[in-house]
Amino acid sequence: MNNERLWTKDFLSVNLSGFFVFLVFYTLMATLPIFVIDNLGQADSKVGLVVTTFLIASVAIRPFAGIWLDTIGRRKILIISLVFFTLTTFLYPLINNFALLLLLRFAQGIAFGLGTTATGTIVAEIIPVSRRGEGMSYYSSSMILAMVFGPYLGINLMNHFTFHILFFVCGFFAVISLLFGLNIAIPKQTLKPKTRIQPSQLIERSALPISITSAIISFGYSGIISFITLYAKNLGFVDVASFFFIVYAIFILGSRPFTGKLFDRKGANIIVYPGIILFAIGLVVLSFSTVPTIFLISAALIGLGYGSIVPSFQTLAINTAAPAKKGMATATFFMFFDVGMGIGSYVLGVVSAKTSFHIMYVITAIAVLLTSVIYYLLHDRKQRKTINLKKAAA
């Protein structure tokens, strides 16, 4: 039995700091579509740009974040990003037109990209190596909790108060994230010398196969996070939308104690392939939802599927990199993840506007199923060859 301690003060602090960053992210993600349409008078097709602009900035900064984490230092980048994230969050009440909103989303996307790359790298260093699958699973659970409480809180604040109140609550959460970030004692780091940035430094090649695969998964998930509120409103039960994420979280968190340990003992495949199938089935069920019960059943299936895939992919990306390159591996993983989310938010927004949400979710299910093929070709096949060679050599 492994007795290396996992739940330290620093592990708890980095989880809580990340939780409140993602809480702001998901609260805004669930409510800004309604804000754009009802308060700023924009068409449905413009909704995706709110997500895409944010993620373009996040993607653009992540490669540099990975380098800066290794040359400037984990702590400095973490605190700078959290301060910037807090300041941009408090600017939302001042927004009165769509162009300013996109500009603010771009600025906050930079802070988000820096901050989440920093916390993802720091938590990987705090976790004992032998418990990394389990630890990363718990870390991703903090994001899952934010994914639940953010939309639930946001939709309820939106329905019962004003957007100004909602934005100030988000600002308060950003401040809490900063306070927890200041409380993290980051492991001693040997900084790399600062040199002129080369294109080859912007991506960690060892993390590319699993990062590309993650982009397709996030493409599929963008249809959930960007449009589930509008879809529920279209179906006539917008109040149920907040419970979608509660059901989603219950099934993720219920499975987490087993999936992380199973990953460490049996490897990724036992988690990834069933997860992809469950995620795709959940999207198909969602596309045919006509009553709240079916809508919530899809949340359970998506929670079991998507919720187990992402921490597995992130752990694989980190494990493939050398210790000195884990910052770049984390940055590469999130960069491709954000690319998939950004492209998906825009493309699926256009698809839903031109066709229907039903067709859009069927398309996302097909994309998710294709992930199993990409995963096998880019990662699993190579791993199987390596194992067979080792067996033959033995």
Side-chain angles (χ1 to χ4, degrees), residues 146-195:
M147 192 183 299
V148 176
F149 290 114
Y152 180 80
L153 179 67
I155 291 169
N156 280 286
L157 286 173
M158 178 183 70
N159 288 338
H160 298 98
F161 298 96
T162 66
F163 273 101
H164 276 66
I165 297 294
L166 185 151
F167 294 147
F168 278 118
V169 170
C170 287
F172 175 71
F173 291 150
V175 170
I176 296 176
S177 174
L178 174 59
L179 293 176
F180 277 115
L182 290 168
N183 192 48
I184 302 169
I186 298 171
K188 187 177 180 181
Q189 176 188 4
T190 301
L191 297 179
K192 289 183 178 180
K194 296 179 183 178
T195 58

Side-chain angles (χ1 to χ4, degrees), residues 17 44 61 143 154 162 164 167 173 180 202 205 217 226 304 347:
S17 180
D44 290 10
I61 203 66
M143 292 185 281
T162 66
H164 276 66
F167 294 147
F173 291 150
F180 277 115
L202 298 178
R205 293 181 64 183
I217 282 291
S226 299
L304 286 173
V347 171

Side-chain angles (χ1 to χ4, degrees), residues 217 220-221 274-283 301-302 305-306 309 368:
I217 282 291
Y221 189 70
I276 290 171
I277 293 171
L278 284 171
F279 186 15
I281 292 173
L283 288 167
L301 292 169
I302 292 168
Y306 175 83
I309 297 168
V368 167

